[in-house]
């Protein structure tokens, strides 16, 4: 691991975070059929769980990762039961549920800000714009979060794949996502499965949020501020494809950091101010040219003549 | 000529006009509907 | 109340100042809310990017009107500080505007009024252009994609405004010439009158469009756009036209905001202020009819201004700053209104077409539920012998 330029360290850490969040966002869209605008706000909850543990009680932030996963899952399930299930049962359409997730985002940000304000009065620490870099350990000269974030991202992807394809709960989740009525006919309890999937997505978002303050400066609205990157990553990979979200997340992280830096070398340092626009440009470009993202590109390639020949060749090699 | 007070009352008049107009339209519609109902019965 | 009636000999202060304040904000937000009602309540186009349209109006004033004013004033002989390059534009702006231009405009009433009309007209056109641009990516796709795109565009417009100094002075902001400088009295009342006047004109425009065949077409698209498409109408084009038209009118509100604050900076057009609150006003009042929008706007504006005015009184009970309380009220009200009063306080009814008797056409009682689905009762845990579902708790 000698001599990795700091740009790539930055890119891999950021991309791992965005990938975990994009996977969670795609998972929510698959199971609940709505884009969950509060996804970034759940990451904010994770940020402040780790803040409470580290700044106030003095533990290492890495101990906070499993705790934030659990707390995030619980908060997500509570919100599902209180708000989203009620509206869905009353017969809300997609637009109304999306508006309710927006309302949840506003509420979560406000409650986190109040929590920071209240904790400042009691504990005397500042929760706005903090970083936990001093609590981190070092590996080979790099801050520990760099290999850890990538490792956690890989572990999340593998365990999600195993969960969704090997375990009964995972297969039940996929069945519920595809056809709820048929799944309930087969005896799957839809409500429990929905609660499980919301627990999973909330926990994943909080896990990503828990890693955030180790690298970036954190505010209550930090989670929602990267919402655009999350949505761009999810859309880039195809809105309904979890494996596409992985590629999408890394693609967006790559564009935001490496391409911006390269443009800065070529055009001038003024490009840096426009960095938040990069995921938006990706979003708009994806929607303009191929709304199904990379999945659509892959499908088109497979259906085209070159793709058919390539796949025929691959199949012949297997035999 | 105290322009301020004149404009103040003009503002209140404008502000009240819109709901008044809506209410007027409502009453007109309801009356027309009631008449058609009476025609049917 | 007595001091209001005694106004005929006095000036505006105290309670009447509060009323003027409420009137201005009501006028601004009612234009935005009515345009939003036109888009979402009638045509089913969820426009989460109102902030973009309002910002366009603000930028029209700060970028175009100010420069035109400077050029006219310069041609009339008043010596202005240079404003050609970006740095000079921002740095010399305050002196240029507050000292030189305003004193010039004080004596030229016709010029000021024509500047106001000019900026309103340009904002209308530019707002429609922005409506076209933001509708390009996602108007053909599902409404989910449209919402995502528009929300990100609202953020993008703030970033664009922050980074191009020629538009609104980057992070510092641009002062805007006071086109009401010729008025001898209090500027606020005149602005309130103009804003409410624009509001009335917009109200009549929307009402006429609603009760016309175009309005019925919009309602048809909202209910079932596949059928309308199969009849031969260009659904995508009509949606785009609706978005462009409502964008233009929302930009007018942005112009009045710029003139009210006399200052344009990108932080003044926050996403929460100009998108979420108008949506709350719309949903609270009842989407689909103008009366509901009015009621919703009046309630919310009264609430917000009341919170600001009585801040000292409320802060004794709350241990956190009022800004967070406003956010919490926004979120909680949105959720409560969606759950308990989904059709709003004033529910929508069938469009009134004079001469057509509905009772003959519609046999049963129709309720218009803008959430596209009926009430679903949760199934209980009863065993059904002849049915397939034995263990079901929810749907």
């Amino acid at each position: 691991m000698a001599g990795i330029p700091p740009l790539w360290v930055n890119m891999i850490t950021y991309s791992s975070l965005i990938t975990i969040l994009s996977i969670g966002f795609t998972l929510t869209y698959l199971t609940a059929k709505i884009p969950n605008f509060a996804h970034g706000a759940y990451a904010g909850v994770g940020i402040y769980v780790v803040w409470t543990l580290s700044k106030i009680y003095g533990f290492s932030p890495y101990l906070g990762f499993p705790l934030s996963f659990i707390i995030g899952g619980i908060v997500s399930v509570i919100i599902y039961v209180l708000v989203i299930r009620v509206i869905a049962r009353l017969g809300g359409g997609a637009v109304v549920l999306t508006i309710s997730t927006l309302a949840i985002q506003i509420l979560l940000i406000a409650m986190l800000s109040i929590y920071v304000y209240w904790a400042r009065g009691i504990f005397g620490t500042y929760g706005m714009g903090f970083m936990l870099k001093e609590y981190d350990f070092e590996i080979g000269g790099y801050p520990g979060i760099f290999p850890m974030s990538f490792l956690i991202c890989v572990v999340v992807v593998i365990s999600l794949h195993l969960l969704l394809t090997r375990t009964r709960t995972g297969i039940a989740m996929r069945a519920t996502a595809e056809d709820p009525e048929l799944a309930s006919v087969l005896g799957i309890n839809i409500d429990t499965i929905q609660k499980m999937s919301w627990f999973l997505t909330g926990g994943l978002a909080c896990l990503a949020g828990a890693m955030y303050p180790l690298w970036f400066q954190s505010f209550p609205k930090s989670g929602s501020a990267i919402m655009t990157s999350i949505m761009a990553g999810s859309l880039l990979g195809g809105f309904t494809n979890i494996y596409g979200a992985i590629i999408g997340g890394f693609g967006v992280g790559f564009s935001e950091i490496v391409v911006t830096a390269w443009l800065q070398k070529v055009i001038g340092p003024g490009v840096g101010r426009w960095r938040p626009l990069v995921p938006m440009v990706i979003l708009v470009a994806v929607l303009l040219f191929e709304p199904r993202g990379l999945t659509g590109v892959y499908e088109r390639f497979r259906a085209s003549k070159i793709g058919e020949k390539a796949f025929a060749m691959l199949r012949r090699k297997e035999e | 000529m105290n322009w301020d007070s004149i404009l103040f009352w003009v503002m209140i008049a404008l502000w009240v006009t819109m709901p008044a107009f809506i209410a007027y339209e409502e009453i007109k519609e309801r009356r027309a509907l009631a008449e058609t109902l009476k025609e049917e019965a | 109340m007595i001091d209001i009636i005694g106004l005929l000999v006095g000036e505006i202060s105290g309670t009447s100042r509060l009323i003027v304040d409420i009137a201005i904000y009501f006028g601004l937000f009612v234009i935005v809310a009515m345009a939003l009602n036109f888009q979402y309540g009638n045509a089913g186009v969820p426009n989460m990017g109102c902030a973009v349209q309002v910002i366009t109006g603000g930028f029209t004033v700060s970028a175009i009107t100010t420069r035109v004013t400077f050029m006219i004033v310069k041609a009339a002989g008043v010596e202005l500080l240079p404003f050609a390059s970006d740095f000079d534009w921002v740095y010399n702006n305050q002196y240029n505007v507050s000292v030189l231009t305003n004193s010039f405009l004080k004596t030229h009433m016709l010029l000021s009024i024509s500047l106001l009309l000019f900026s309103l007209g340009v904002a209308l056109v530019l707002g429609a252009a922005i409506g076209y641009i933001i509708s390009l990516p996602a108007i053909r796709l599902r409404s989910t994609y449209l919402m995502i795109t528009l929300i990100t565009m609202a953020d993008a417009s703030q970033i664009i405004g922050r980074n191009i100094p020629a538009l609104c002075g980057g992070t510092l902001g641009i002062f805007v010439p006071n086109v009401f400088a010729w008025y001898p009295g209090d500027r606020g009342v005149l602005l309130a009158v103009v804003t409410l006047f624009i509001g009335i004109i917009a109200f009549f425009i929307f009402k006429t469009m609603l009760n016309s065949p175009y309005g019925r077409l919009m309602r048809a698209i909202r209910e079932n756009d596949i059928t309308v498409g199969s009849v031969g109408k260009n659904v995508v084009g009509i949606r785009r036209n609706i978005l462009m038209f409502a964008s233009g009118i929302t930009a007018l509100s942005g112009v009045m905001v710029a003139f009210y604050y006399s200052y344009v900076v990108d932080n003044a057009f926050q996403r929460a202020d100009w998108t979420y609150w108008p949506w709350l006003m719309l949903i609270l009042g009842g989407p689909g009819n103008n009366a509901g929008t009015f009621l919703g706007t009046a309630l919310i504006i009264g609430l917000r201004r009341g919170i600001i005015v009585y801040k000292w009184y409320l802060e004794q009970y709350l241990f956190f700053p009022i800004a967070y309380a406003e956010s919490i009220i926004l979120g909680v009200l949105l959720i409560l209104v969606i759950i308990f009063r989904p059709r709003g306080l004033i529910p929508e009814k069938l469009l009134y077409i004079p001469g057509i008797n509905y009772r003959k056409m519609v046999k049963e009682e129709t309720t218009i539920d803008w959430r596209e689905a009926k009430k679903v009762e949760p199934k209980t845990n009863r065993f059904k012998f002849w049915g397939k579902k034995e263990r079901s708790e929810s749907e």
Side-chain angles (χ1 to χ4, degrees), chain A residues 14-82:
Chain A
Y14 185 64
S15 300
S16 309
L17 283 183
I18 298 279
T19 307
I20 298 181
L21 287 167
S22 291
I23 294 177
F25 189 72
T26 313
L27 199 58
T28 319
Y29 188 70
L30 279 175
T31 55
K33 307 284 184 301
I34 50 167
N36 182 14
F37 283 114
H39 203 74
Y42 291 141
V45 173
I47 294 179
Y48 281 97
V49 166
V50 168
W51 175 72
T52 315
L53 269 184
S54 302
K55 281 256 163 141
I56 297 181
Y57 295 113
F59 292 110
S60 158
Y62 287 97
L63 287 178
F65 285 3
L67 185 64
S68 66
F69 184 85
I70 297 177
I71 289 187
I74 293 179
V75 167
S76 177
V77 170
I78 291 178
I79 290 181
Y80 165 68
V81 166
L82 279 182

Side-chain angles (χ1 to χ4, degrees), chain C residues 296-370:
Chain C
T297 313
L299 286 176
I300 299 286
I301 296 278
L303 185 70
R304 290 191 81 192
R305 291 283 121 190
I307 288 181
I308 292 181
V309 167
Y310 293 106
K311 193 161 83 149
W312 60 271
Y313 184 67
L314 284 172
E315 273 200 338
Q316 295 167 4
Y317 293 101
L318 296 170
F319 62 94
F320 46 82
I322 292 290
Y324 304 144
E326 273 199 16
S327 295
I328 290 188
I329 289 182
L330 173 61
V332 168
L333 267 182
L334 261 178
I335 294 181
L336 285 181
V337 170
I338 289 181
I339 294 180
F340 290 113
R341 276 253 184 263
R343 294 170 59 194
L345 286 176
I346 301 183
E348 186 187 331
K349 52 186 188 7
L350 293 172
L351 278 178
Y352 173 66
I353 308 170
I356 296 188
N357 188 0
Y358 282 112
R359 298 287 187 234
K360 285 193 199 148
M361 290 190 332
V362 176
K363 297 296 176 182
E364 75 273 6
E365 173 77 32
T366 43
T367 54
I368 300 173
D369 195 345
W370 60 282

Side-chain angles (χ1 to χ4, degrees), chain B residues 16-33:
Chain B
V16 173
T17 315
M18 294 190 272
F21 192 78
I22 294 176
Y24 164 70
E25 289 261 303
E26 267 295 308
I27 299 180
K28 205 168 67 166
E29 277 182 38
R30 294 243 172 103
R31 226 179 276 162
L33 255 181

Side-chain angles (χ1 to χ4, degrees), chain C residues 38-45 139 213-242 372:
Chain C
F38 190 70
Q39 289 164 80
Y40 180 62
N42 286 323
V45 175
I139 200 79
Y214 198 69
R216 298 194 279 279
L217 183 61
M218 285 198 298
R219 292 259 173 119
I221 290 183
R222 183 189 67 187
E223 300 292 333
N224 194 348
D225 53 348
I226 303 179
T227 312
V228 175
S230 69
V231 167
K233 304 281 180 190
N234 182 9
V235 173
V236 170
I238 292 175
R239 275 203 183 140
R240 191 182 294 146
N241 285 345
I242 292 174
E372 306 164 34

Side-chain angles (χ1 to χ4, degrees), chain B residues 2-15 17-19 21-22 25-26 28-30 32-33 36-37 39-40, chain C residues 4 7 10 16 19-20 22-23 26 183-186 189-190 192-193 196-197 200 203-204 207 291 294 349 352 357 359-360:
Chain B
N2 195 349
W3 287 105
D4 270 350
S5 359
I6 298 177
L7 276 183
F8 185 75
W9 292 109
V10 168
M11 174 188 89
I12 301 247
L14 276 177
W15 203 358
T17 315
M18 294 190 272
F21 192 78
I22 294 176
E25 289 261 303
E26 267 295 308
K28 205 168 67 166
E29 277 182 38
R30 294 243 172 103
L33 255 181
T36 51
L37 275 178
E39 272 177 18
E40 256 186 42
Chain C
I4 298 183
L7 248 195
S16 49
I19 295 184
V20 171
I22 295 183
F26 180 82
Y183 180 64
D186 186 30
V189 193
L190 186 57
V193 167
L196 281 176
F197 191 65
I200 282 195
F203 169 66
F204 277 110
K207 198 183 82 59
F294 263 52
K349 52 186 188 7
Y352 173 66
N357 188 0
R359 298 287 187 234
K360 285 193 199 148

Side-chain angles (χ1 to χ4, degrees), chain A residues 123-209:
Chain A
F123 295 110
T125 44
Y126 284 91
M128 301 267 192
F130 69 97
M131 279 173 93
L132 292 177
K133 264 195 171 167
E134 61 261 20
Y135 289 85
D136 205 358
F137 60 91
E138 280 216 355
I139 290 188
Y142 297 101
I145 189 66
F146 160 55
M148 283 302 290
S149 66
F150 190 67
L151 209 65
I152 292 183
C153 181
V154 169
V155 163
V156 160
V157 166
I158 294 182
S159 51
L160 203 63
H161 175 81
L162 289 177
L163 175 79
L164 286 179
T165 50
R166 301 292 164 93
T167 66
R168 275 186 53 194
T169 320
I171 298 184
M173 269 197 236
R174 282 165 58 198
T176 320
E178 284 187 29
D179 197 345
E181 290 196 358
L182 199 56
S184 71
V185 163
L186 290 174
I188 300 176
N189 191 349
I190 304 275
D191 197 42
T192 313
I193 296 292
Q194 289 271 39
K195 280 190 197 151
M196 285 242 26
S197 34
W198 278 96
F199 182 86
L200 194 60
T201 51
L204 279 179
C206 271
L207 189 61

